[in-house]
């Protein structure tokens, strides 16, 4: 034997750490069996460290025992037999063993009788009186599964959000435009055919001029070296002058555009008209369309439809300011509430 | 399950669930809430739950709803204990049914639930395990301990009387 009382500690440590091979493990166990004093050093909690907690013993059911496996009814297991008898799980053989053990002993009989008394029985006079609210009419819409309900809620939220985003556009026209542009052309007393632009809409960046609408029936020439803000209604700008006047290329006399006092470049829209469409016209069409659609009614109708389909109780509400503009939204379900103020 | 089967489950099981929950809670309004909540959950899964599984589903759902509510309201348990202590100390004669009610109220939640499912509904150990999430062996242990407690409780009171 390689393991002795002089070197066993090293083997013991290897064993505890799970590093001892099976042959030496067997030898160590044999050594500990021969020397019980050293066996006490083996902490069972530490030896278990080598075994991971996820391992299970698959044959545990084979280890389980029944009352019939007990050799006899004894004072220690008597009550367990009584309970099994009352539970109706005692075999006929075990019932006979229990009966023999009791042997008309009044104390044992009373114990068994007490166990028979602790069987509960429901009070049938207690009934649920509100079955009516639980019942569903046969033609009732069947509920959608959770998945569809969630999808429907998400779709409603997306719809409301989309409406919320779209709605301000008819008033703001563009996230980059802070006020509704008003463009007018009028005569400048100092010039024969002047153009005065009354607008002050800052643009994100200058847009090259590419319009084709003649201004005052003139045909100006563009100074291609300049990139200027796009101004609908003005065909081409020849020279941006310092200060406030930009002359259009018109031979005699030149037309002028009077820029606003603000130093920002002029623009009515931040979108490009490279596709040939007139952004102002598009904008106006949208504004006209938006004016005809009641987005709030649309949203309410969508929510009502959702409630009808899913039997949900979703509701939307809004807060309106003195001008009739929506300032806050509230979306409520049976369990949740979402609210938000209009982003200014 | 069909709507007709769902409605039949209302007729067949709502009383039993109500009694089961009421016995645990001793609060009629909460027991009603649990019954209603349980059937609402069944209704949302009416396409998924087979009619023959409805009873197990209902009791499982009701049991877990009740456990959640008990955990949220530990104060109620303390009040229950106070009330029953007072009753027992009064020493007035009460029948076996009332005595058992007292004893059942004093059982730990797990033991009370498994014994009630066993006695009220006649569930097997395996079925109770499925409802409560315990193992069948645990159910047997809880029933054994619960029965022993009940027997000792009424035995001790009967000895006094």
């Amino acid at each position: 034997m390689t393991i002795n009382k002089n070197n066993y500690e090293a083997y013991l440590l290897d064993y505890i750490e799970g590093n001892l091979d099976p042959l030496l493990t067997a030898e160590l166990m044999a050594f500990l069996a021969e020397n019980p004093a050293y066996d006490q050093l083996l902490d069972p909690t530490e030896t278990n460290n080598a075994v991971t907690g996820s391992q299970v013993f698959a044959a545990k059911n084979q280890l389980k025992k029944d009352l019939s496996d007990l050799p006899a009814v004894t004072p220690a297991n008597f009550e367990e037999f009584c309970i099994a008898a009352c539970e109706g799980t005692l075999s006929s053989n075990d019932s006979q063993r229990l009966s023999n053990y009791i042997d008309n002993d009044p104390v044992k009989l009373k114990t068994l009788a007490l166990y028979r008394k602790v069987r509960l029985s429901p009070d049938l006079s207690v009934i649920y009186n509100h079955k009516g609210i639980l019942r569903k009419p046969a033609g009732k819409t069947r509920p959608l599964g959770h998945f569809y309900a969630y999808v429907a809620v998400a779709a409603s939220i997306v719809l409301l959000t989309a409406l919320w985003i779209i709605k301000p556009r008819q008033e703001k026209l563009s996230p980059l435009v802070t006020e509704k542009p008003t463009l007018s052309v009028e005569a400048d007393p100092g010039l024969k055919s002047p153009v005065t632009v009354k607008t002050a809409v800052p643009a994100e960046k200058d847009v090259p001029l590419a319009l084709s609408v003649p201004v005052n029936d003139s045909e100006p020439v563009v100074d291609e070296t300049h990139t200027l803000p796009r101004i609908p209604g003005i065909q081409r700008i020849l020279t941006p002058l310092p200060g406030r006047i930009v002359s259009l290329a018109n031979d005699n006399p030149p037309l002028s555009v009077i820029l606003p006092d603000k130093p920002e470049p002029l623009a009515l829209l931040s979108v490009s008209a490279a596709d040939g469409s007139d952004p102002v016209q598009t904008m106006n069409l949208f504004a006209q369309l938006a004016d005809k659609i009641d987005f709030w009614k649309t949203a309410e109708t969508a929510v009502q439809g959702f409630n009808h389909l899913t039997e949900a109780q979703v509701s939307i509400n809004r807060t309106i300011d003195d001008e009739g503009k929506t300032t806050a939204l509230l979306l409520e379900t049976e369990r949740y509430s979402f609210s938000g103020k209009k982003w200014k | 399950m069909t709507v007709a089967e769902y409605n039949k489950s209302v007729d067949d099981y709502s009383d039993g669930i109500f009694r089961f929950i009421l016995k645990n809670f001793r609060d009629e309004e909460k027991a009603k809430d649990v019954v209603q909540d349980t059937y609402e959950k069944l209704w949302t899964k009416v396409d998924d739950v087979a009619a023959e599984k409805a009873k197990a589903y209902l009791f499982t759902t009701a049991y877990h709803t009740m456990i959640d509510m008990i955990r949220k309201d530990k104060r109620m348990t303390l009040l229950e204990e106070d009330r029953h202590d007072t009753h027992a100390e009064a020493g007035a004669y009460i029948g076996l049914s009332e005595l058992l009610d007292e004893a059942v109220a004093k059982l730990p939640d797990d033991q009370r639930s498994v014994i009630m499912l066993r006695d009220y509904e006649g569930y097997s150990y395996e079925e109770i395990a499925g409802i409560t999430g315990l193992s069948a062996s645990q159910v047997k242990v809880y029933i054994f301990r619960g029965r022993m407690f009940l027997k000792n409780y009424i035995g001790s009171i009967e000895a006094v009387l």
Side-chain angles (χ1 to χ4, degrees), chain B residues 41-127:
Chain B
K41 286 173 181 170
L42 174 63
W43 179 244
T44 62
K45 290 187 175 292
V46 70
D47 286 335
D48 304 326
V49 180
E52 59 270 23
K53 302 280 186 185
K55 185 182 179 187
Y57 178 87
L58 288 165
F59 272 92
T60 303
T61 304
Y63 172 79
H64 289 291
T65 305
M66 178 190 74
I67 292 296
D68 287 344
M69 292 177 77
I70 286 174
R71 285 174 180 157
K72 288 176 184 172
D73 195 7
K74 284 292 182 187
R75 191 174 61 87
M76 183 191 70
T77 307
L78 296 174
L79 290 173
E80 287 291 314
E81 287 173 0
D82 290 345
R83 189 169 70 198
H84 290 290
D85 285 346
T86 304
H87 195 163
E89 286 164 7
Y93 174 78
I94 51 177
L96 177 64
S97 177
E98 289 82 0
L99 201 58
L100 261 181
D101 279 349
E102 274 193 9
V104 168
K106 287 180 178 297
L107 282 173
D109 295 332
D110 286 334
Q111 293 179 23
R112 180 170 55 242
S113 296
V114 296
I115 285 179
M116 289 178 62
L117 288 170
R118 178 79 175 160
D119 289 353
Y120 278 23
E121 301 299 326
Y123 278 120
S124 68
Y125 297 135
E126 288 73 21
E127 287 170 329

Side-chain angles (χ1 to χ4, degrees), chain A residues 62-281:
Chain A
Q62 296 175 12
L63 299 178
K64 291 179 178 175
K65 304 292 184 186
D66 205 347
L67 288 178
S68 58
D69 295 316
L70 292 171
V73 182
T74 66
N77 60 35
F78 167 60
E79 299 207 19
E80 197 171 359
F81 271 86
C82 289
I83 292 171
C86 296
E87 287 280 305
T89 58
L90 210 57
S91 67
S92 57
N93 186 42
D94 288 334
S95 295
Q96 187 58 50
R97 289 204 296 166
L98 177 62
S99 180
N100 293 341
Y101 177 76
I102 291 174
D103 193 23
N104 292 324
D105 180 339
V107 177
K108 292 172 186 169
L109 282 172
K110 182 173 184 182
T111 300
L112 182 60
L114 280 174
Y115 274 114
R116 293 197 190 284
K117 285 182 180 177
V118 298
R119 287 297 299 252
L120 308 180
S121 55
D123 181 358
L124 297 177
S125 66
V126 177
I127 57 171
Y128 184 69
N129 289 319
H130 304 274
K131 295 186 181 74
I133 61 174
L134 300 179
R135 293 193 188 100
K136 306 287 181 185
K140 187 79 172 177
T141 306
R142 295 168 74 85
L144 297 175
H146 280 309
F147 172 76
Y148 297 107
Y150 292 145
V151 168
V153 169
S156 297
I157 292 172
V158 169
L159 174 64
L160 287 171
T161 308
L163 294 176
W164 183 244
I165 291 171
I166 291 171
K167 177 67 175 175
R169 292 176 69 88
Q170 64 175 321
E171 296 169 356
K172 288 190 172 183
L173 301 175
S174 162
L176 301 172
V177 179
T178 57
E179 62 184 85
K180 197 168 184 176
T182 55
L183 176 65
S184 65
V185 179
E186 60 185 35
D188 186 332
L191 297 169
K192 188 177 179 181
S193 302
V195 176
T196 301
V197 179
K198 292 181 178 178
T199 182
V201 183
E204 184 182 32
K205 60 182 180 179
D206 293 347
V207 181
L209 291 173
L211 295 179
S212 59
V213 180
V215 176
N216 294 348
D217 297 326
S218 62
E219 190 61 31
V221 178
V222 169
D223 180 351
E224 298 290 348
T225 60
H226 294 278
T227 298
L228 294 174
R230 174 183 175 147
I231 304 173
I234 299 174
Q235 185 176 7
R236 296 180 182 185
I237 298 174
L238 179 60
T239 306
L241 298 177
R244 305 177 60 217
I245 298 176
V246 174
S247 297
L248 294 181
N250 193 358
D251 292 339
N252 184 24
L255 298 176
S256 295
V257 175
I258 301 174
L259 297 174
D261 292 329
K262 293 183 179 179
E264 298 93 341
L266 279 176
L268 293 176
L269 292 170
S270 62
V271 293
S272 170
D275 61 355
S277 63
D278 185 340
V280 173
Q281 187 179 10

